[in-house]
Amino acid sequence: MFCNQCEQTAKGTGCTVAGVCGKSADVAAIQDQLVYLLRRLAALGLNARAAGMADTGTDDFMVEALFSTLTNVNFDLRALRRMLADTLERAKALAARLGEHPEDLGLSPDEYTARLSESVVGIDRLSSDADVASAMQLLLFGLKGVAAYADHAARLGQRDPELAAFIRKALVAGSPWDEEVRDLGGWLELVLECGKANLRAMELLEKGNTETFGDPVPAPVSLGQRKGKAILVSGHDLLDLLALLEQTEGTGVNVYTHGEMLPAHGYPRLRAFSHLAGHYGTAWQNQQRELPDFPGAVLFTTNCIQNPRGYGDKVFTSGNVGWPGCIHCTGRDFAPVIARALELPGFDEDKPGKEILTGFGRQTMLNAAPKVLEAVAQGKLRHIFLVGGCDGAKPGRNYYTEFVEKTPQDTLVLTLACGKFRFFDKALGKLGDLPRLLDMGQCNDAYAAVRTAQALAETLKCGVNDLPLSFVLSWYEQKAVSILLTLLALGIKNIRLGPSLPAFVSPNILNLLVEKWSIRPISTPDEDLATILQ
Ligand code: SF4
Ligand code: SF3
């Protein structure tokens, strides 16, 4: 196997024996095969569109399948094999509709296994030019992030044919069915197009979320516990959470959020359930330490799942997530999760905990914009930091905790995604009547942050890069790659990125990022703060 798609890749270069994430060589191989077959399906999809055949079902399937290959999503060989077989069937059916001979597709298991021996992470014909190879990987990993957000959006009924067309085009790029020949410039253009496509995917997802659950509003969230049976919900899928809240209503089972589900508390429709009791635990990489003590059932709706060693009998999955041996809930029927929660002891007493705040979504931030601008004009607000992105296991990630703790009192800290768990419970105080730490939501709410920054810039008649605003980002998996590409496509400069730079970025591409966008790796909190605020 060879996989280098995430930040914890072995030795900073690539996992070759087994994934640091827990991915086996078998799972890696089948995920590569899946990407390869999805490229074939996308090529057929392009022909189908050219022939005037629309096929939303295949578009939805492609993003769902690609999402299964993201870091910490699906480790279940059986589920992945089913998806592979489904992809093959869909490709054959589409080929038949197009009048192509299904046996003529180069799709037999032997053929694609042979092809895959030449490929890396599902990239067939990976270029021998290190920079082109790097751009191809940036595109594929960014595309996986886009697929995750497009999948969430589609589940909420939000689709865009142009976004689907880009996903097909980007999947076909570099495959044996690609008719275009690109030089490095052509690949980089496609990489930036991927960033724009991701902005669209996040926009659709925001529309789906706010139309379904309401605009997020600032909401206190308890880190304590309520006496009674309990279910913990992790991941990003708010529709799953809604279904679970509906199905547990009146059962006496309390529902707690975990990880990226924390911002759910800000959505009026979800907040209305009185048994949405609070938040438990911190970021994904602490789950093996924190979940064994949770006295109820646990549901993973998306990444990041880790090996539930020793507590797998209370862990359930839904959507694209899979762990071998854990019960997978389909059709948003969470009866097995509820039954298990009722068997488990639950919390034996009420324990009030700290309260934190979430729910500073786009509308709330836009409403606060005049106050923010006034504070800037009066010299009361010196700078805004957006400290966001993924969390992870590396010790260097303590940088983000220290950075936020050291931000001066006349600054604001916006945050989003699971990286916030490094500082989400810190008391940073207030600036006027605004809390200094503002949680804007999940990773996909980077859309809200971008739009807020653009609105501030428009009012001040300047560019986003001219605002007293700095991006200090942490990355781990492919959704963070897609968000980074979005920021680059929007021309946002001076991003600080950590805790380490991606293994798949070649030295020349890194130079280009530095020259054109002034991206820089994080250094120390003191040094970075001093440079930003000078
Ligand atoms: Fe390694 Fe990350 Fe790939 Fe897992 S996802 S195999 S940790 S590079
Ligand atoms: Fe976190 Fe996995 Fe990236 Fe949505 S839950 S951000 S790492």
PDB file of all heavy atoms in Angstrom, residues 38-50 53-56 58-60 62-63 66 94 143 160-173 175:
ATOM      1  N   LEU A  38     -14.216   4.695  -9.932  1.00  0.00           N
ATOM      2  CA  LEU A  38     -15.012   5.934  -9.968  1.00  0.00           C
ATOM      3  C   LEU A  38     -14.555   6.824 -11.115  1.00  0.00           C
ATOM      4  O   LEU A  38     -15.354   7.538 -11.730  1.00  0.00           O
ATOM      5  CB  LEU A  38     -14.914   6.689  -8.640  1.00  0.00           C
ATOM      6  CG  LEU A  38     -15.688   6.052  -7.481  1.00  0.00           C
ATOM      7  CD1 LEU A  38     -15.317   6.712  -6.160  1.00  0.00           C
ATOM      8  CD2 LEU A  38     -17.200   6.168  -7.718  1.00  0.00           C
ATOM      9  N   ARG A  39     -13.270   6.762 -11.417  1.00  0.00           N
ATOM     10  CA  ARG A  39     -12.765   7.525 -12.569  1.00  0.00           C
ATOM     11  C   ARG A  39     -13.407   6.988 -13.855  1.00  0.00           C
ATOM     12  O   ARG A  39     -13.781   7.754 -14.735  1.00  0.00           O
ATOM     13  CB  ARG A  39     -11.243   7.417 -12.652  1.00  0.00           C
ATOM     14  CG  ARG A  39     -10.520   8.137 -11.517  1.00  0.00           C
ATOM     15  CD  ARG A  39      -9.022   7.983 -11.694  1.00  0.00           C
ATOM     16  NE  ARG A  39      -8.284   8.543 -10.582  1.00  0.00           N
ATOM     17  CZ  ARG A  39      -8.022   9.842 -10.403  1.00  0.00           C
ATOM     18  NH1 ARG A  39      -8.489  10.712 -11.276  1.00  0.00           N
ATOM     19  NH2 ARG A  39      -7.322  10.256  -9.377  1.00  0.00           N
ATOM     20  N   ARG A  40     -13.505   5.650 -13.936  1.00  0.00           N
ATOM     21  CA  ARG A  40     -14.122   5.045 -15.119  1.00  0.00           C
ATOM     22  C   ARG A  40     -15.597   5.447 -15.215  1.00  0.00           C
ATOM     23  O   ARG A  40     -16.093   5.801 -16.282  1.00  0.00           O
ATOM     24  CB  ARG A  40     -13.994   3.505 -15.032  1.00  0.00           C
ATOM     25  CG  ARG A  40     -14.490   2.797 -16.279  1.00  0.00           C
ATOM     26  CD  ARG A  40     -13.565   3.110 -17.450  1.00  0.00           C
ATOM     27  NE  ARG A  40     -14.041   2.586 -18.727  1.00  0.00           N
ATOM     28  CZ  ARG A  40     -14.583   3.334 -19.688  1.00  0.00           C
ATOM     29  NH1 ARG A  40     -14.780   4.621 -19.503  1.00  0.00           N
ATOM     30  NH2 ARG A  40     -14.949   2.793 -20.822  1.00  0.00           N
ATOM     31  N   LEU A  41     -16.255   5.384 -14.056  1.00  0.00           N
ATOM     32  CA  LEU A  41     -17.679   5.750 -14.019  1.00  0.00           C
ATOM     33  C   LEU A  41     -17.864   7.222 -14.405  1.00  0.00           C
ATOM     34  O   LEU A  41     -18.792   7.579 -15.139  1.00  0.00           O
ATOM     35  CB  LEU A  41     -18.233   5.488 -12.606  1.00  0.00           C
ATOM     36  CG  LEU A  41     -19.728   5.713 -12.380  1.00  0.00           C
ATOM     37  CD1 LEU A  41     -20.574   4.852 -13.316  1.00  0.00           C
ATOM     38  CD2 LEU A  41     -20.106   5.421 -10.927  1.00  0.00           C
ATOM     39  N   ALA A  42     -16.938   8.071 -13.920  1.00  0.00           N
ATOM     40  CA  ALA A  42     -17.031   9.507 -14.244  1.00  0.00           C
ATOM     41  C   ALA A  42     -16.846   9.726 -15.742  1.00  0.00           C
ATOM     42  O   ALA A  42     -17.534  10.560 -16.349  1.00  0.00           O
ATOM     43  CB  ALA A  42     -15.979  10.282 -13.455  1.00  0.00           C
ATOM     44  N   ALA A  43     -15.916   8.961 -16.354  1.00  0.00           N
ATOM     45  CA  ALA A  43     -15.688   9.104 -17.801  1.00  0.00           C
ATOM     46  C   ALA A  43     -16.953   8.707 -18.565  1.00  0.00           C
ATOM     47  O   ALA A  43     -17.364   9.386 -19.509  1.00  0.00           O
ATOM     48  CB  ALA A  43     -14.506   8.237 -18.231  1.00  0.00           C
ATOM     49  N   LEU A  44     -17.593   7.633 -18.114  1.00  0.00           N
ATOM     50  CA  LEU A  44     -18.855   7.227 -18.750  1.00  0.00           C
ATOM     51  C   LEU A  44     -19.913   8.302 -18.521  1.00  0.00           C
ATOM     52  O   LEU A  44     -20.726   8.598 -19.396  1.00  0.00           O
ATOM     53  CB  LEU A  44     -19.324   5.884 -18.178  1.00  0.00           C
ATOM     54  CG  LEU A  44     -18.489   4.670 -18.622  1.00  0.00           C
ATOM     55  CD1 LEU A  44     -18.707   3.492 -17.683  1.00  0.00           C
ATOM     56  CD2 LEU A  44     -18.841   4.280 -20.058  1.00  0.00           C
ATOM     57  N   GLY A  45     -19.882   8.894 -17.324  1.00  0.00           N
ATOM     58  CA  GLY A  45     -20.833   9.958 -16.992  1.00  0.00           C
ATOM     59  C   GLY A  45     -20.671  11.154 -17.924  1.00  0.00           C
ATOM     60  O   GLY A  45     -21.648  11.767 -18.353  1.00  0.00           O
ATOM     61  N   LEU A  46     -19.398  11.477 -18.254  1.00  0.00           N
ATOM     62  CA  LEU A  46     -19.151  12.589 -19.184  1.00  0.00           C
ATOM     63  C   LEU A  46     -19.772  12.270 -20.539  1.00  0.00           C
ATOM     64  O   LEU A  46     -20.440  13.115 -21.144  1.00  0.00           O
ATOM     65  CB  LEU A  46     -17.646  12.814 -19.359  1.00  0.00           C
ATOM     66  CG  LEU A  46     -16.883  13.526 -18.242  1.00  0.00           C
ATOM     67  CD1 LEU A  46     -15.420  13.709 -18.633  1.00  0.00           C
ATOM     68  CD2 LEU A  46     -17.478  14.897 -17.940  1.00  0.00           C
ATOM     69  N   ASN A  47     -19.566  11.012 -21.003  1.00  0.00           N
ATOM     70  CA  ASN A  47     -20.149  10.615 -22.298  1.00  0.00           C
ATOM     71  C   ASN A  47     -21.674  10.656 -22.235  1.00  0.00           C
ATOM     72  O   ASN A  47     -22.335  11.074 -23.186  1.00  0.00           O
ATOM     73  CB  ASN A  47     -19.709   9.189 -22.690  1.00  0.00           C
ATOM     74  CG  ASN A  47     -18.211   9.131 -22.921  1.00  0.00           C
ATOM     75  OD1 ASN A  47     -17.572  10.167 -23.034  1.00  0.00           O
ATOM     76  ND2 ASN A  47     -17.658   7.926 -22.973  1.00  0.00           N
ATOM     77  N   ALA A  48     -22.216  10.229 -21.093  1.00  0.00           N
ATOM     78  CA  ALA A  48     -23.673  10.207 -20.955  1.00  0.00           C
ATOM     79  C   ALA A  48     -24.230  11.627 -21.045  1.00  0.00           C
ATOM     80  O   ALA A  48     -25.227  11.882 -21.713  1.00  0.00           O
ATOM     81  CB  ALA A  48     -24.069   9.555 -19.627  1.00  0.00           C
ATOM     82  N   ARG A  49     -23.553  12.572 -20.358  1.00  0.00           N
ATOM     83  CA  ARG A  49     -24.011  13.970 -20.426  1.00  0.00           C
ATOM     84  C   ARG A  49     -23.925  14.488 -21.853  1.00  0.00           C
ATOM     85  O   ARG A  49     -24.827  15.168 -22.327  1.00  0.00           O
ATOM     86  CB  ARG A  49     -23.147  14.865 -19.522  1.00  0.00           C
ATOM     87  CG  ARG A  49     -23.313  14.558 -18.066  1.00  0.00           C
ATOM     88  CD  ARG A  49     -24.617  15.102 -17.553  1.00  0.00           C
ATOM     89  NE  ARG A  49     -24.977  14.396 -16.327  1.00  0.00           N
ATOM     90  CZ  ARG A  49     -25.829  14.843 -15.422  1.00  0.00           C
ATOM     91  NH1 ARG A  49     -26.454  15.989 -15.600  1.00  0.00           N
ATOM     92  NH2 ARG A  49     -26.113  14.127 -14.362  1.00  0.00           N
ATOM     93  N   ALA A  50     -22.800  14.148 -22.528  1.00  0.00           N
ATOM     94  CA  ALA A  50     -22.644  14.618 -23.911  1.00  0.00           C
ATOM     95  C   ALA A  50     -23.764  14.064 -24.793  1.00  0.00           C
ATOM     96  O   ALA A  50     -24.200  14.710 -25.738  1.00  0.00           O
ATOM     97  CB  ALA A  50     -21.283  14.191 -24.443  1.00  0.00           C
ATOM     98  N   MET A  53     -27.933  12.471 -21.585  1.00  0.00           N
ATOM     99  CA  MET A  53     -28.552  11.672 -20.507  1.00  0.00           C
ATOM    100  C   MET A  53     -28.176  12.274 -19.150  1.00  0.00           C
ATOM    101  O   MET A  53     -26.993  12.333 -18.801  1.00  0.00           O
ATOM    102  CB  MET A  53     -27.995  10.237 -20.509  1.00  0.00           C
ATOM    103  CG  MET A  53     -28.384   9.397 -21.675  1.00  0.00           C
ATOM    104  SD  MET A  53     -27.571   7.786 -21.417  1.00  0.00           S
ATOM    105  CE  MET A  53     -27.363   7.287 -23.096  1.00  0.00           C
ATOM    106  N   ALA A  54     -29.152  12.725 -18.380  1.00  0.00           N
ATOM    107  CA  ALA A  54     -28.875  13.230 -17.031  1.00  0.00           C
ATOM    108  C   ALA A  54     -28.990  12.062 -16.065  1.00  0.00           C
ATOM    109  O   ALA A  54     -29.816  11.184 -16.255  1.00  0.00           O
ATOM    110  CB  ALA A  54     -29.874  14.304 -16.676  1.00  0.00           C
ATOM    111  N   ASP A  55     -28.129  12.030 -15.060  1.00  0.00           N
ATOM    112  CA  ASP A  55     -28.129  10.882 -14.157  1.00  0.00           C
ATOM    113  C   ASP A  55     -27.719  11.323 -12.750  1.00  0.00           C
ATOM    114  O   ASP A  55     -26.583  11.098 -12.313  1.00  0.00           O
ATOM    115  CB  ASP A  55     -27.165   9.829 -14.721  1.00  0.00           C
ATOM    116  CG  ASP A  55     -27.262   8.519 -13.959  1.00  0.00           C
ATOM    117  OD1 ASP A  55     -28.082   8.437 -13.032  1.00  0.00           O
ATOM    118  OD2 ASP A  55     -26.517   7.598 -14.301  1.00  0.00           O
ATOM    119  N   THR A  56     -28.662  11.982 -12.049  1.00  0.00           N
ATOM    120  CA  THR A  56     -28.356  12.513 -10.716  1.00  0.00           C
ATOM    121  C   THR A  56     -27.985  11.387  -9.749  1.00  0.00           C
ATOM    122  O   THR A  56     -27.146  11.565  -8.865  1.00  0.00           O
ATOM    123  CB  THR A  56     -29.597  13.260 -10.160  1.00  0.00           C
ATOM    124  OG1 THR A  56     -30.059  14.125 -11.174  1.00  0.00           O
ATOM    125  CG2 THR A  56     -29.267  14.070  -8.940  1.00  0.00           C
ATOM    126  N   THR A  58     -26.274   8.716 -10.292  1.00  0.00           N
ATOM    127  CA  THR A  58     -24.842   8.374 -10.395  1.00  0.00           C
ATOM    128  C   THR A  58     -23.997   9.474  -9.771  1.00  0.00           C
ATOM    129  O   THR A  58     -23.004   9.200  -9.098  1.00  0.00           O
ATOM    130  CB  THR A  58     -24.437   8.158 -11.874  1.00  0.00           C
ATOM    131  OG1 THR A  58     -25.266   7.129 -12.400  1.00  0.00           O
ATOM    132  CG2 THR A  58     -22.989   7.745 -12.009  1.00  0.00           C
ATOM    133  N   ASP A  59     -24.394  10.731  -9.976  1.00  0.00           N
ATOM    134  CA  ASP A  59     -23.643  11.846  -9.359  1.00  0.00           C
ATOM    135  C   ASP A  59     -23.622  11.686  -7.843  1.00  0.00           C
ATOM    136  O   ASP A  59     -22.586  11.808  -7.198  1.00  0.00           O
ATOM    137  CB  ASP A  59     -24.299  13.191  -9.699  1.00  0.00           C
ATOM    138  CG  ASP A  59     -24.166  13.535 -11.175  1.00  0.00           C
ATOM    139  OD1 ASP A  59     -23.298  12.953 -11.839  1.00  0.00           O
ATOM    140  OD2 ASP A  59     -24.958  14.383 -11.648  1.00  0.00           O
ATOM    141  N   ASP A  60     -24.791  11.405  -7.259  1.00  0.00           N
ATOM    142  CA  ASP A  60     -24.873  11.242  -5.804  1.00  0.00           C
ATOM    143  C   ASP A  60     -24.012  10.065  -5.356  1.00  0.00           C
ATOM    144  O   ASP A  60     -23.304  10.131  -4.350  1.00  0.00           O
ATOM    145  CB  ASP A  60     -26.330  10.978  -5.364  1.00  0.00           C
ATOM    146  CG  ASP A  60     -27.169  12.250  -5.379  1.00  0.00           C
ATOM    147  OD1 ASP A  60     -26.604  13.331  -5.645  1.00  0.00           O
ATOM    148  OD2 ASP A  60     -28.390  12.167  -5.118  1.00  0.00           O
ATOM    149  N   MET A  62     -21.379   8.839  -6.779  1.00  0.00           N
ATOM    150  CA  MET A  62     -19.939   9.101  -6.896  1.00  0.00           C
ATOM    151  C   MET A  62     -19.390   9.880  -5.699  1.00  0.00           C
ATOM    152  O   MET A  62     -18.329   9.548  -5.180  1.00  0.00           O
ATOM    153  CB  MET A  62     -19.645   9.848  -8.199  1.00  0.00           C
ATOM    154  CG  MET A  62     -19.645   8.905  -9.383  1.00  0.00           C
ATOM    155  SD  MET A  62     -18.846   9.560 -10.855  1.00  0.00           S
ATOM    156  CE  MET A  62     -19.870  10.939 -11.194  1.00  0.00           C
ATOM    157  N   VAL A  63     -20.143  10.887  -5.241  1.00  0.00           N
ATOM    158  CA  VAL A  63     -19.616  11.656  -4.103  1.00  0.00           C
ATOM    159  C   VAL A  63     -19.670  10.814  -2.819  1.00  0.00           C
ATOM    160  O   VAL A  63     -18.767  10.879  -1.980  1.00  0.00           O
ATOM    161  CB  VAL A  63     -20.317  13.030  -3.908  1.00  0.00           C
ATOM    162  CG1 VAL A  63     -19.976  13.968  -5.033  1.00  0.00           C
ATOM    163  CG2 VAL A  63     -21.808  12.930  -3.716  1.00  0.00           C
ATOM    164  N   LEU A  66     -16.715   8.389  -3.022  1.00  0.00           N
ATOM    165  CA  LEU A  66     -15.436   9.069  -2.827  1.00  0.00           C
ATOM    166  C   LEU A  66     -15.257   9.468  -1.357  1.00  0.00           C
ATOM    167  O   LEU A  66     -14.159   9.383  -0.800  1.00  0.00           O
ATOM    168  CB  LEU A  66     -15.398  10.307  -3.741  1.00  0.00           C
ATOM    169  CG  LEU A  66     -14.034  10.872  -4.137  1.00  0.00           C
ATOM    170  CD1 LEU A  66     -13.116   9.800  -4.701  1.00  0.00           C
ATOM    171  CD2 LEU A  66     -14.209  12.000  -5.153  1.00  0.00           C
ATOM    172  N   LEU A  94     -24.257   1.893 -17.317  1.00  0.00           N
ATOM    173  CA  LEU A  94     -24.152   3.154 -18.063  1.00  0.00           C
ATOM    174  C   LEU A  94     -23.530   2.890 -19.435  1.00  0.00           C
ATOM    175  O   LEU A  94     -23.966   3.462 -20.448  1.00  0.00           O
ATOM    176  CB  LEU A  94     -23.309   4.154 -17.254  1.00  0.00           C
ATOM    177  CG  LEU A  94     -23.464   5.632 -17.565  1.00  0.00           C
ATOM    178  CD1 LEU A  94     -24.917   6.064 -17.604  1.00  0.00           C
ATOM    179  CD2 LEU A  94     -22.699   6.476 -16.549  1.00  0.00           C
ATOM    180  N   LEU A 143     -10.459  17.032  -4.032  1.00  0.00           N
ATOM    181  CA  LEU A 143     -11.732  16.541  -4.577  1.00  0.00           C
ATOM    182  C   LEU A 143     -12.464  15.648  -3.553  1.00  0.00           C
ATOM    183  O   LEU A 143     -13.697  15.660  -3.470  1.00  0.00           O
ATOM    184  CB  LEU A 143     -11.449  15.747  -5.858  1.00  0.00           C
ATOM    185  CG  LEU A 143     -12.663  15.405  -6.700  1.00  0.00           C
ATOM    186  CD1 LEU A 143     -13.302  16.668  -7.258  1.00  0.00           C
ATOM    187  CD2 LEU A 143     -12.277  14.473  -7.848  1.00  0.00           C
ATOM    188  N   ASP A 160     -26.008  20.849  -7.461  1.00  0.00           N
ATOM    189  CA  ASP A 160     -25.751  21.807  -8.529  1.00  0.00           C
ATOM    190  C   ASP A 160     -25.130  21.040  -9.696  1.00  0.00           C
ATOM    191  O   ASP A 160     -24.072  20.422  -9.524  1.00  0.00           O
ATOM    192  CB  ASP A 160     -24.783  22.890  -8.003  1.00  0.00           C
ATOM    193  CG  ASP A 160     -24.381  23.868  -9.097  1.00  0.00           C
ATOM    194  OD1 ASP A 160     -24.838  23.712 -10.247  1.00  0.00           O
ATOM    195  OD2 ASP A 160     -23.601  24.793  -8.800  1.00  0.00           O
ATOM    196  N   PRO A 161     -25.790  21.066 -10.869  1.00  0.00           N
ATOM    197  CA  PRO A 161     -25.253  20.310 -12.008  1.00  0.00           C
ATOM    198  C   PRO A 161     -23.828  20.723 -12.371  1.00  0.00           C
ATOM    199  O   PRO A 161     -23.031  19.894 -12.789  1.00  0.00           O
ATOM    200  CB  PRO A 161     -26.217  20.659 -13.155  1.00  0.00           C
ATOM    201  CG  PRO A 161     -27.378  21.356 -12.550  1.00  0.00           C
ATOM    202  CD  PRO A 161     -27.028  21.779 -11.170  1.00  0.00           C
ATOM    203  N   GLU A 162     -23.512  22.009 -12.167  1.00  0.00           N
ATOM    204  CA  GLU A 162     -22.150  22.451 -12.522  1.00  0.00           C
ATOM    205  C   GLU A 162     -21.114  21.854 -11.581  1.00  0.00           C
ATOM    206  O   GLU A 162     -20.004  21.509 -11.968  1.00  0.00           O
ATOM    207  CB  GLU A 162     -22.058  23.972 -12.470  1.00  0.00           C
ATOM    208  CG  GLU A 162     -22.548  24.582 -13.761  1.00  0.00           C
ATOM    209  CD  GLU A 162     -22.392  26.087 -13.771  1.00  0.00           C
ATOM    210  OE1 GLU A 162     -21.409  26.607 -13.200  1.00  0.00           O
ATOM    211  OE2 GLU A 162     -23.284  26.743 -14.333  1.00  0.00           O
ATOM    212  N   LEU A 163     -21.501  21.740 -10.301  1.00  0.00           N
ATOM    213  CA  LEU A 163     -20.591  21.119  -9.333  1.00  0.00           C
ATOM    214  C   LEU A 163     -20.380  19.651  -9.696  1.00  0.00           C
ATOM    215  O   LEU A 163     -19.255  19.147  -9.706  1.00  0.00           O
ATOM    216  CB  LEU A 163     -21.177  21.242  -7.912  1.00  0.00           C
ATOM    217  CG  LEU A 163     -20.396  20.564  -6.794  1.00  0.00           C
ATOM    218  CD1 LEU A 163     -19.003  21.158  -6.639  1.00  0.00           C
ATOM    219  CD2 LEU A 163     -21.148  20.659  -5.465  1.00  0.00           C
ATOM    220  N   ALA A 164     -21.477  18.966 -10.043  1.00  0.00           N
ATOM    221  CA  ALA A 164     -21.378  17.551 -10.429  1.00  0.00           C
ATOM    222  C   ALA A 164     -20.506  17.414 -11.677  1.00  0.00           C
ATOM    223  O   ALA A 164     -19.690  16.486 -11.776  1.00  0.00           O
ATOM    224  CB  ALA A 164     -22.774  16.984 -10.683  1.00  0.00           C
ATOM    225  N   ALA A 165     -20.635  18.365 -12.607  1.00  0.00           N
ATOM    226  CA  ALA A 165     -19.837  18.306 -13.841  1.00  0.00           C
ATOM    227  C   ALA A 165     -18.358  18.460 -13.503  1.00  0.00           C
ATOM    228  O   ALA A 165     -17.498  17.769 -14.066  1.00  0.00           O
ATOM    229  CB  ALA A 165     -20.287  19.399 -14.805  1.00  0.00           C
ATOM    230  N   PHE A 166     -18.045  19.369 -12.549  1.00  0.00           N
ATOM    231  CA  PHE A 166     -16.634  19.532 -12.168  1.00  0.00           C
ATOM    232  C   PHE A 166     -16.105  18.244 -11.531  1.00  0.00           C
ATOM    233  O   PHE A 166     -14.985  17.812 -11.822  1.00  0.00           O
ATOM    234  CB  PHE A 166     -16.425  20.710 -11.204  1.00  0.00           C
ATOM    235  CG  PHE A 166     -14.996  20.733 -10.722  1.00  0.00           C
ATOM    236  CD1 PHE A 166     -13.992  21.229 -11.548  1.00  0.00           C
ATOM    237  CD2 PHE A 166     -14.645  20.179  -9.501  1.00  0.00           C
ATOM    238  CE1 PHE A 166     -12.657  21.176 -11.152  1.00  0.00           C
ATOM    239  CE2 PHE A 166     -13.315  20.122  -9.103  1.00  0.00           C
ATOM    240  CZ  PHE A 166     -12.317  20.629  -9.925  1.00  0.00           C
ATOM    241  N   ILE A 167     -16.902  17.635 -10.680  1.00  0.00           N
ATOM    242  CA  ILE A 167     -16.437  16.415  -9.999  1.00  0.00           C
ATOM    243  C   ILE A 167     -16.118  15.324 -11.034  1.00  0.00           C
ATOM    244  O   ILE A 167     -15.089  14.655 -10.954  1.00  0.00           O
ATOM    245  CB  ILE A 167     -17.478  15.954  -8.950  1.00  0.00           C
ATOM    246  CG1 ILE A 167     -17.523  16.981  -7.800  1.00  0.00           C
ATOM    247  CG2 ILE A 167     -17.143  14.556  -8.402  1.00  0.00           C
ATOM    248  CD1 ILE A 167     -18.648  16.794  -6.807  1.00  0.00           C
ATOM    249  N   ARG A 168     -16.983  15.187 -12.039  1.00  0.00           N
ATOM    250  CA  ARG A 168     -16.720  14.200 -13.103  1.00  0.00           C
ATOM    251  C   ARG A 168     -15.422  14.540 -13.833  1.00  0.00           C
ATOM    252  O   ARG A 168     -14.568  13.684 -14.031  1.00  0.00           O
ATOM    253  CB  ARG A 168     -17.884  14.192 -14.104  1.00  0.00           C
ATOM    254  CG  ARG A 168     -19.099  13.418 -13.650  1.00  0.00           C
ATOM    255  CD  ARG A 168     -20.037  13.186 -14.820  1.00  0.00           C
ATOM    256  NE  ARG A 168     -20.591  14.433 -15.330  1.00  0.00           N
ATOM    257  CZ  ARG A 168     -21.695  15.021 -14.856  1.00  0.00           C
ATOM    258  NH1 ARG A 168     -22.382  14.443 -13.885  1.00  0.00           N
ATOM    259  NH2 ARG A 168     -22.130  16.154 -15.344  1.00  0.00           N
ATOM    260  N   LYS A 169     -15.300  15.816 -14.211  1.00  0.00           N
ATOM    261  CA  LYS A 169     -14.116  16.235 -14.975  1.00  0.00           C
ATOM    262  C   LYS A 169     -12.830  15.991 -14.160  1.00  0.00           C
ATOM    263  O   LYS A 169     -11.841  15.471 -14.682  1.00  0.00           O
ATOM    264  CB  LYS A 169     -14.238  17.729 -15.315  1.00  0.00           C
ATOM    265  CG  LYS A 169     -13.056  18.290 -16.076  1.00  0.00           C
ATOM    266  CD  LYS A 169     -13.315  19.708 -16.554  1.00  0.00           C
ATOM    267  CE  LYS A 169     -12.848  20.717 -15.520  1.00  0.00           C
ATOM    268  NZ  LYS A 169     -12.904  22.105 -15.991  1.00  0.00           N
ATOM    269  N   ALA A 170     -12.879  16.348 -12.873  1.00  0.00           N
ATOM    270  CA  ALA A 170     -11.679  16.213 -12.043  1.00  0.00           C
ATOM    271  C   ALA A 170     -11.349  14.745 -11.786  1.00  0.00           C
ATOM    272  O   ALA A 170     -10.184  14.378 -11.665  1.00  0.00           O
ATOM    273  CB  ALA A 170     -11.888  16.960 -10.725  1.00  0.00           C
ATOM    274  N   LEU A 171     -12.380  13.896 -11.717  1.00  0.00           N
ATOM    275  CA  LEU A 171     -12.110  12.467 -11.516  1.00  0.00           C
ATOM    276  C   LEU A 171     -11.454  11.876 -12.762  1.00  0.00           C
ATOM    277  O   LEU A 171     -10.544  11.048 -12.677  1.00  0.00           O
ATOM    278  CB  LEU A 171     -13.418  11.723 -11.230  1.00  0.00           C
ATOM    279  CG  LEU A 171     -13.807  11.534  -9.765  1.00  0.00           C
ATOM    280  CD1 LEU A 171     -15.187  10.930  -9.660  1.00  0.00           C
ATOM    281  CD2 LEU A 171     -12.792  10.667  -9.019  1.00  0.00           C
ATOM    282  N   VAL A 172     -11.920  12.310 -13.924  1.00  0.00           N
ATOM    283  CA  VAL A 172     -11.387  11.754 -15.174  1.00  0.00           C
ATOM    284  C   VAL A 172      -9.947  12.246 -15.419  1.00  0.00           C
ATOM    285  O   VAL A 172      -9.132  11.519 -16.003  1.00  0.00           O
ATOM    286  CB  VAL A 172     -12.318  12.128 -16.358  1.00  0.00           C
ATOM    287  CG1 VAL A 172     -11.705  11.728 -17.686  1.00  0.00           C
ATOM    288  CG2 VAL A 172     -13.676  11.449 -16.191  1.00  0.00           C
ATOM    289  N   ALA A 173      -9.633  13.440 -14.913  1.00  0.00           N
ATOM    290  CA  ALA A 173      -8.308  14.021 -15.177  1.00  0.00           C
ATOM    291  C   ALA A 173      -7.199  13.047 -14.764  1.00  0.00           C
ATOM    292  O   ALA A 173      -7.159  12.579 -13.639  1.00  0.00           O
ATOM    293  CB  ALA A 173      -8.163  15.339 -14.408  1.00  0.00           C
ATOM    294  N   SER A 175      -6.728  10.066 -15.789  1.00  0.00           N
ATOM    295  CA  SER A 175      -7.099   8.648 -15.911  1.00  0.00           C
ATOM    296  C   SER A 175      -6.830   8.194 -17.345  1.00  0.00           C
ATOM    297  O   SER A 175      -6.607   9.022 -18.233  1.00  0.00           O
ATOM    298  CB  SER A 175      -8.580   8.469 -15.575  1.00  0.00           C
ATOM    299  OG  SER A 175      -9.371   8.893 -16.670  1.00  0.00           O
TER     300      SER A 175
END
